[in-house]
PDB file of all heavy atoms in Angstrom:
ATOM      1  N   PHE A   1      31.184   7.529  -0.345  1.00 91.00           N
ATOM      2  CA  PHE A   1      30.402   7.684  -1.568  1.00 91.00           C
ATOM      3  C   PHE A   1      29.107   6.884  -1.479  1.00 91.00           C
ATOM      4  O   PHE A   1      28.047   7.375  -1.851  1.00 91.00           O
ATOM      5  CB  PHE A   1      31.238   7.243  -2.775  1.00 91.00           C
ATOM      6  CG  PHE A   1      30.519   7.390  -4.075  1.00 91.00           C
ATOM      7  CD1 PHE A   1      30.367   8.636  -4.666  1.00 91.00           C
ATOM      8  CD2 PHE A   1      29.973   6.291  -4.707  1.00 91.00           C
ATOM      9  CE1 PHE A   1      29.683   8.779  -5.863  1.00 91.00           C
ATOM     10  CE2 PHE A   1      29.288   6.426  -5.906  1.00 91.00           C
ATOM     11  CZ  PHE A   1      29.145   7.674  -6.488  1.00 91.00           C
ATOM     12  N   ASP A   2      29.208   5.644  -0.984  1.00 91.00           N
ATOM     13  CA  ASP A   2      28.007   4.831  -0.780  1.00 91.00           C
ATOM     14  C   ASP A   2      27.022   5.554   0.136  1.00 91.00           C
ATOM     15  O   ASP A   2      25.819   5.588  -0.128  1.00 91.00           O
ATOM     16  CB  ASP A   2      28.353   3.476  -0.158  1.00 91.00           C
ATOM     17  CG  ASP A   2      28.754   2.438  -1.188  1.00 91.00           C
ATOM     18  OD1 ASP A   2      28.597   2.696  -2.399  1.00 91.00           O
ATOM     19  OD2 ASP A   2      29.227   1.371  -0.774  1.00 91.00           O
ATOM     20  N   GLY A   3      27.534   6.118   1.208  1.00 92.00           N
ATOM     21  CA  GLY A   3      26.677   6.828   2.152  1.00 92.00           C
ATOM     22  C   GLY A   3      25.944   7.992   1.506  1.00 92.00           C
ATOM     23  O   GLY A   3      24.756   8.222   1.776  1.00 92.00           O
ATOM     24  N   ILE A   4      26.640   8.720   0.640  1.00 92.00           N
ATOM     25  CA  ILE A   4      26.011   9.856  -0.052  1.00 92.00           C
ATOM     26  C   ILE A   4      24.889   9.361  -0.958  1.00 92.00           C
ATOM     27  O   ILE A   4      23.789   9.926  -0.970  1.00 92.00           O
ATOM     28  CB  ILE A   4      27.068  10.657  -0.847  1.00 92.00           C
ATOM     29  CG1 ILE A   4      28.014  11.363   0.120  1.00 92.00           C
ATOM     30  CG2 ILE A   4      26.409  11.653  -1.793  1.00 92.00           C
ATOM     31  CD1 ILE A   4      29.257  11.935  -0.534  1.00 92.00           C
ATOM     32  N   LEU A   5      25.153   8.289  -1.710  1.00 94.00           N
ATOM     33  CA  LEU A   5      24.118   7.766  -2.605  1.00 94.00           C
ATOM     34  C   LEU A   5      22.969   7.127  -1.825  1.00 94.00           C
ATOM     35  O   LEU A   5      21.810   7.197  -2.253  1.00 94.00           O
ATOM     36  CB  LEU A   5      24.709   6.772  -3.601  1.00 94.00           C
ATOM     37  CG  LEU A   5      25.577   7.387  -4.697  1.00 94.00           C
ATOM     38  CD1 LEU A   5      26.068   6.326  -5.657  1.00 94.00           C
ATOM     39  CD2 LEU A   5      24.827   8.469  -5.453  1.00 94.00           C
ATOM     40  N   ILE A   6      23.264   6.516  -0.698  1.00 93.00           N
ATOM     41  CA  ILE A   6      22.201   5.938   0.140  1.00 93.00           C
ATOM     42  C   ILE A   6      21.328   7.052   0.707  1.00 93.00           C
ATOM     43  O   ILE A   6      20.099   6.927   0.767  1.00 93.00           O
ATOM     44  CB  ILE A   6      22.800   5.044   1.238  1.00 93.00           C
ATOM     45  CG1 ILE A   6      23.415   3.787   0.610  1.00 93.00           C
ATOM     46  CG2 ILE A   6      21.748   4.670   2.284  1.00 93.00           C
ATOM     47  CD1 ILE A   6      24.311   3.002   1.545  1.00 93.00           C
ATOM     48  N   LEU A   7      21.936   8.156   1.103  1.00 92.00           N
ATOM     49  CA  LEU A   7      21.160   9.308   1.576  1.00 92.00           C
ATOM     50  C   LEU A   7      20.272   9.845   0.456  1.00 92.00           C
ATOM     51  O   LEU A   7      19.098  10.148   0.681  1.00 92.00           O
ATOM     52  CB  LEU A   7      22.093  10.403   2.099  1.00 92.00           C
ATOM     53  CG  LEU A   7      21.421  11.698   2.536  1.00 92.00           C
ATOM     54  CD1 LEU A   7      20.478  11.439   3.706  1.00 92.00           C
ATOM     55  CD2 LEU A   7      22.464  12.736   2.911  1.00 92.00           C
ATOM     56  N   ALA A   8      20.828   9.942  -0.747  1.00 93.00           N
ATOM     57  CA  ALA A   8      20.027  10.387  -1.893  1.00 93.00           C
ATOM     58  C   ALA A   8      18.865   9.421  -2.134  1.00 93.00           C
ATOM     59  O   ALA A   8      17.739   9.846  -2.411  1.00 93.00           O
ATOM     60  CB  ALA A   8      20.899  10.500  -3.141  1.00 93.00           C
ATOM     61  N   ALA A   9      19.144   8.124  -2.017  1.00 93.00           N
ATOM     62  CA  ALA A   9      18.087   7.112  -2.193  1.00 93.00           C
ATOM     63  C   ALA A   9      16.984   7.308  -1.158  1.00 93.00           C
ATOM     64  O   ALA A   9      15.793   7.254  -1.491  1.00 93.00           O
ATOM     65  CB  ALA A   9      18.674   5.705  -2.082  1.00 93.00           C
ATOM     66  N   ALA A  10      17.369   7.535   0.087  1.00 91.00           N
ATOM     67  CA  ALA A  10      16.374   7.726   1.151  1.00 91.00           C
ATOM     68  C   ALA A  10      15.503   8.951   0.862  1.00 91.00           C
ATOM     69  O   ALA A  10      14.277   8.903   1.022  1.00 91.00           O
ATOM     70  CB  ALA A  10      17.073   7.871   2.504  1.00 91.00           C
ATOM     71  N   LEU A  11      16.134  10.036   0.423  1.00 91.00           N
ATOM     72  CA  LEU A  11      15.365  11.244   0.102  1.00 91.00           C
ATOM     73  C   LEU A  11      14.402  10.993  -1.058  1.00 91.00           C
ATOM     74  O   LEU A  11      13.256  11.441  -1.021  1.00 91.00           O
ATOM     75  CB  LEU A  11      16.311  12.401  -0.226  1.00 91.00           C
ATOM     76  CG  LEU A  11      17.163  12.908   0.938  1.00 91.00           C
ATOM     77  CD1 LEU A  11      18.170  13.949   0.455  1.00 91.00           C
ATOM     78  CD2 LEU A  11      16.285  13.483   2.033  1.00 91.00           C
ATOM     79  N   LEU A  12      14.877  10.268  -2.070  1.00 93.00           N
ATOM     80  CA  LEU A  12      14.002   9.958  -3.204  1.00 93.00           C
ATOM     81  C   LEU A  12      12.855   9.040  -2.792  1.00 93.00           C
ATOM     82  O   LEU A  12      11.721   9.201  -3.259  1.00 93.00           O
ATOM     83  CB  LEU A  12      14.807   9.308  -4.334  1.00 93.00           C
ATOM     84  CG  LEU A  12      15.754  10.241  -5.081  1.00 93.00           C
ATOM     85  CD1 LEU A  12      16.684   9.441  -5.983  1.00 93.00           C
ATOM     86  CD2 LEU A  12      14.969  11.273  -5.886  1.00 93.00           C
ATOM     87  N   LEU A  13      13.135   8.079  -1.920  1.00 91.00           N
ATOM     88  CA  LEU A  13      12.091   7.139  -1.484  1.00 91.00           C
ATOM     89  C   LEU A  13      11.063   7.803  -0.573  1.00 91.00           C
ATOM     90  O   LEU A  13       9.909   7.382  -0.529  1.00 91.00           O
ATOM     91  CB  LEU A  13      12.719   5.928  -0.802  1.00 91.00           C
ATOM     92  CG  LEU A  13      13.441   4.995  -1.778  1.00 91.00           C
ATOM     93  CD1 LEU A  13      14.382   4.072  -1.025  1.00 91.00           C
ATOM     94  CD2 LEU A  13      12.441   4.206  -2.593  1.00 91.00           C
ATOM     95  N   LEU A  14      11.466   8.825   0.143  1.00 88.00           N
ATOM     96  CA  LEU A  14      10.516   9.540   1.002  1.00 88.00           C
ATOM     97  C   LEU A  14       9.695  10.557   0.218  1.00 88.00           C
ATOM     98  O   LEU A  14       8.684  11.048   0.709  1.00 88.00           O
ATOM     99  CB  LEU A  14      11.263  10.231   2.151  1.00 88.00           C
ATOM    100  CG  LEU A  14      11.863   9.275   3.177  1.00 88.00           C
ATOM    101  CD1 LEU A  14      12.714  10.040   4.185  1.00 88.00           C
ATOM    102  CD2 LEU A  14      10.776   8.490   3.895  1.00 88.00           C
ATOM    103  N   THR A  15      10.136  10.868  -1.006  1.00 89.00           N
ATOM    104  CA  THR A  15       9.387  11.772  -1.879  1.00 89.00           C
ATOM    105  C   THR A  15       8.272  10.964  -2.544  1.00 89.00           C
ATOM    106  O   THR A  15       8.542   9.945  -3.160  1.00 89.00           O
ATOM    107  CB  THR A  15      10.322  12.358  -2.966  1.00 89.00           C
ATOM    108  OG1 THR A  15      11.400  13.020  -2.332  1.00 89.00           O
ATOM    109  CG2 THR A  15       9.585  13.317  -3.870  1.00 89.00           C
ATOM    110  N   PRO A  16       7.019  11.404  -2.416  1.00 88.00           N
ATOM    111  CA  PRO A  16       5.930  10.635  -3.025  1.00 88.00           C
ATOM    112  C   PRO A  16       6.066  10.590  -4.545  1.00 88.00           C
ATOM    113  O   PRO A  16       6.271  11.613  -5.183  1.00 88.00           O
ATOM    114  CB  PRO A  16       4.665  11.401  -2.636  1.00 88.00           C
ATOM    115  CG  PRO A  16       5.063  12.310  -1.538  1.00 88.00           C
ATOM    116  CD  PRO A  16       6.525  12.560  -1.690  1.00 88.00           C
ATOM    117  N   GLY A  17       5.997   9.399  -5.090  1.00 91.00           N
ATOM    118  CA  GLY A  17       6.051   9.254  -6.539  1.00 91.00           C
ATOM    119  C   GLY A  17       6.570   7.896  -6.956  1.00 91.00           C
ATOM    120  O   GLY A  17       7.199   7.181  -6.181  1.00 91.00           O
ATOM    121  N   ILE A  18       6.319   7.563  -8.198  1.00 92.00           N
ATOM    122  CA  ILE A  18       6.725   6.268  -8.748  1.00 92.00           C
ATOM    123  C   ILE A  18       8.153   6.357  -9.288  1.00 92.00           C
ATOM    124  O   ILE A  18       8.997   5.519  -8.973  1.00 92.00           O
ATOM    125  CB  ILE A  18       5.758   5.839  -9.884  1.00 92.00           C
ATOM    126  CG1 ILE A  18       4.301   5.889  -9.433  1.00 92.00           C
ATOM    127  CG2 ILE A  18       6.154   4.482 -10.437  1.00 92.00           C
ATOM    128  CD1 ILE A  18       3.872   4.817  -8.489  1.00 92.00           C
ATOM    129  N   LEU A  19       8.429   7.371 -10.086  1.00 94.00           N
ATOM    130  CA  LEU A  19       9.753   7.531 -10.691  1.00 94.00           C
ATOM    131  C   LEU A  19      10.833   7.699  -9.619  1.00 94.00           C
ATOM    132  O   LEU A  19      11.881   7.045  -9.680  1.00 94.00           O
ATOM    133  CB  LEU A  19       9.763   8.734 -11.645  1.00 94.00           C
ATOM    134  CG  LEU A  19      11.086   9.069 -12.316  1.00 94.00           C
ATOM    135  CD1 LEU A  19      11.528   7.933 -13.221  1.00 94.00           C
ATOM    136  CD2 LEU A  19      10.957  10.370 -13.100  1.00 94.00           C
ATOM    137  N   THR A  20      10.568   8.548  -8.630  1.00 94.00           N
ATOM    138  CA  THR A  20      11.559   8.753  -7.562  1.00 94.00           C
ATOM    139  C   THR A  20      11.773   7.476  -6.759  1.00 94.00           C
ATOM    140  O   THR A  20      12.888   7.201  -6.319  1.00 94.00           O
ATOM    141  CB  THR A  20      11.148   9.910  -6.625  1.00 94.00           C
ATOM    142  OG1 THR A  20       9.821   9.686  -6.156  1.00 94.00           O
ATOM    143  CG2 THR A  20      11.253  11.246  -7.326  1.00 94.00           C
ATOM    144  N   ASP A  21      10.709   6.676  -6.588  1.00 93.00           N
ATOM    145  CA  ASP A  21      10.859   5.399  -5.879  1.00 93.00           C
ATOM    146  C   ASP A  21      11.745   4.435  -6.669  1.00 93.00           C
ATOM    147  O   ASP A  21      12.610   3.766  -6.108  1.00 93.00           O
ATOM    148  CB  ASP A  21       9.498   4.752  -5.625  1.00 93.00           C
ATOM    149  CG  ASP A  21       8.713   5.444  -4.524  1.00 93.00           C
ATOM    150  OD1 ASP A  21       9.312   6.271  -3.809  1.00 93.00           O
ATOM    151  OD2 ASP A  21       7.525   5.143  -4.377  1.00 93.00           O
ATOM    152  N   VAL A  22      11.535   4.363  -7.979  1.00 93.00           N
ATOM    153  CA  VAL A  22      12.343   3.466  -8.808  1.00 93.00           C
ATOM    154  C   VAL A  22      13.818   3.873  -8.746  1.00 93.00           C
ATOM    155  O   VAL A  22      14.694   3.033  -8.523  1.00 93.00           O
ATOM    156  CB  VAL A  22      11.833   3.457 -10.277  1.00 93.00           C
ATOM    157  CG1 VAL A  22      12.821   2.756 -11.198  1.00 93.00           C
ATOM    158  CG2 VAL A  22      10.461   2.802 -10.359  1.00 93.00           C
ATOM    159  N   VAL A  23      14.090   5.160  -8.910  1.00 94.00           N
ATOM    160  CA  VAL A  23      15.478   5.635  -8.853  1.00 94.00           C
ATOM    161  C   VAL A  23      16.044   5.411  -7.449  1.00 94.00           C
ATOM    162  O   VAL A  23      17.188   4.982  -7.288  1.00 94.00           O
ATOM    163  CB  VAL A  23      15.581   7.122  -9.266  1.00 94.00           C
ATOM    164  CG1 VAL A  23      16.996   7.655  -9.069  1.00 94.00           C
ATOM    165  CG2 VAL A  23      15.144   7.303 -10.713  1.00 94.00           C
ATOM    166  N   GLY A  24      15.249   5.679  -6.424  1.00 94.00           N
ATOM    167  CA  GLY A  24      15.695   5.473  -5.048  1.00 94.00           C
ATOM    168  C   GLY A  24      16.058   4.024  -4.771  1.00 94.00           C
ATOM    169  O   GLY A  24      17.103   3.729  -4.189  1.00 94.00           O
ATOM    170  N   PHE A  25      15.198   3.096  -5.190  1.00 93.00           N
ATOM    171  CA  PHE A  25      15.506   1.675  -4.980  1.00 93.00           C
ATOM    172  C   PHE A  25      16.732   1.244  -5.788  1.00 93.00           C
ATOM    173  O   PHE A  25      17.528   0.442  -5.322  1.00 93.00           O
ATOM    174  CB  PHE A  25      14.296   0.789  -5.307  1.00 93.00           C
ATOM    175  CG  PHE A  25      13.303   0.695  -4.185  1.00 93.00           C
ATOM    176  CD1 PHE A  25      12.012   1.177  -4.341  1.00 93.00           C
ATOM    177  CD2 PHE A  25      13.655   0.132  -2.965  1.00 93.00           C
ATOM    178  CE1 PHE A  25      11.090   1.099  -3.302  1.00 93.00           C
ATOM    179  CE2 PHE A  25      12.746   0.039  -1.924  1.00 93.00           C
ATOM    180  CZ  PHE A  25      11.459   0.523  -2.092  1.00 93.00           C
ATOM    181  N   LEU A  26      16.895   1.785  -6.990  1.00 95.00           N
ATOM    182  CA  LEU A  26      18.095   1.465  -7.782  1.00 95.00           C
ATOM    183  C   LEU A  26      19.369   1.906  -7.053  1.00 95.00           C
ATOM    184  O   LEU A  26      20.383   1.210  -7.081  1.00 95.00           O
ATOM    185  CB  LEU A  26      18.021   2.112  -9.162  1.00 95.00           C
ATOM    186  CG  LEU A  26      17.115   1.436 -10.175  1.00 95.00           C
ATOM    187  CD1 LEU A  26      17.005   2.265 -11.454  1.00 95.00           C
ATOM    188  CD2 LEU A  26      17.603   0.037 -10.496  1.00 95.00           C
ATOM    189  N   LEU A  27      19.315   3.068  -6.395  1.00 94.00           N
ATOM    190  CA  LEU A  27      20.493   3.560  -5.669  1.00 94.00           C
ATOM    191  C   LEU A  27      20.811   2.711  -4.437  1.00 94.00           C
ATOM    192  O   LEU A  27      21.913   2.796  -3.901  1.00 94.00           O
ATOM    193  CB  LEU A  27      20.301   5.024  -5.249  1.00 94.00           C
ATOM    194  CG  LEU A  27      20.341   6.040  -6.383  1.00 94.00           C
ATOM    195  CD1 LEU A  27      20.049   7.440  -5.846  1.00 94.00           C
ATOM    196  CD2 LEU A  27      21.668   6.006  -7.117  1.00 94.00           C
ATOM    197  N   LEU A  28      19.871   1.886  -4.008  1.00 92.00           N
ATOM    198  CA  LEU A  28      20.134   0.990  -2.876  1.00 92.00           C
ATOM    199  C   LEU A  28      20.789  -0.320  -3.319  1.00 92.00           C
ATOM    200  O   LEU A  28      21.192  -1.123  -2.480  1.00 92.00           O
ATOM    201  CB  LEU A  28      18.835   0.691  -2.115  1.00 92.00           C
ATOM    202  CG  LEU A  28      18.236   1.876  -1.358  1.00 92.00           C
ATOM    203  CD1 LEU A  28      16.938   1.459  -0.679  1.00 92.00           C
ATOM    204  CD2 LEU A  28      19.214   2.441  -0.349  1.00 92.00           C
ATOM    205  N   VAL A  29      20.928  -0.516  -4.629  1.00 93.00           N
ATOM    206  CA  VAL A  29      21.578  -1.722  -5.155  1.00 93.00           C
ATOM    207  C   VAL A  29      23.085  -1.446  -5.238  1.00 93.00           C
ATOM    208  O   VAL A  29      23.502  -0.532  -5.958  1.00 93.00           O
ATOM    209  CB  VAL A  29      21.010  -2.097  -6.544  1.00 93.00           C
ATOM    210  CG1 VAL A  29      21.739  -3.302  -7.118  1.00 93.00           C
ATOM    211  CG2 VAL A  29      19.514  -2.333  -6.458  1.00 93.00           C
ATOM    212  N   PRO A  30      23.910  -2.202  -4.486  1.00 92.00           N
ATOM    213  CA  PRO A  30      25.353  -1.932  -4.475  1.00 92.00           C
ATOM    214  C   PRO A  30      25.994  -1.914  -5.866  1.00 92.00           C
ATOM    215  O   PRO A  30      26.848  -1.061  -6.141  1.00 92.00           O
ATOM    216  CB  PRO A  30      25.928  -3.067  -3.622  1.00 92.00           C
ATOM    217  CG  PRO A  30      24.803  -3.437  -2.704  1.00 92.00           C
ATOM    218  CD  PRO A  30      23.563  -3.267  -3.534  1.00 92.00           C
ATOM    219  N   PHE A  31      25.572  -2.811  -6.766  1.00 94.00           N
ATOM    220  CA  PHE A  31      26.139  -2.827  -8.111  1.00 94.00           C
ATOM    221  C   PHE A  31      25.888  -1.503  -8.828  1.00 94.00           C
ATOM    222  O   PHE A  31      26.776  -0.974  -9.512  1.00 94.00           O
ATOM    223  CB  PHE A  31      25.553  -3.985  -8.930  1.00 94.00           C
ATOM    224  CG  PHE A  31      25.921  -3.924 -10.386  1.00 94.00           C
ATOM    225  CD1 PHE A  31      27.189  -4.305 -10.797  1.00 94.00           C
ATOM    226  CD2 PHE A  31      25.018  -3.479 -11.338  1.00 94.00           C
ATOM    227  CE1 PHE A  31      27.547  -4.233 -12.140  1.00 94.00           C
ATOM    228  CE2 PHE A  31      25.363  -3.411 -12.673  1.00 94.00           C
ATOM    229  CZ  PHE A  31      26.631  -3.783 -13.078  1.00 94.00           C
TER     230      PHE A  31
END
């Protein structure tokens, strides 16, 4: 499950934008 969310985070972080970056970085937080 962590791996799936980390992959989603990577995709969001590679997508240009502010909102996607914020959500992507949040998904990298284990909590």
Side-chain angles (χ1 to χ4, degrees):
F1 181 76
D2 275 350
I4 292 168
L5 288 182
I6 291 166
L7 176 63
L11 293 174
L12 289 169
L13 288 163
L14 291 174
T15 303
I18 308 287
L19 178 63
T20 53
D21 286 348
V22 169
V23 174
F25 278 117
L26 283 173
L27 289 176
L28 291 179
V29 177
F31 171 77

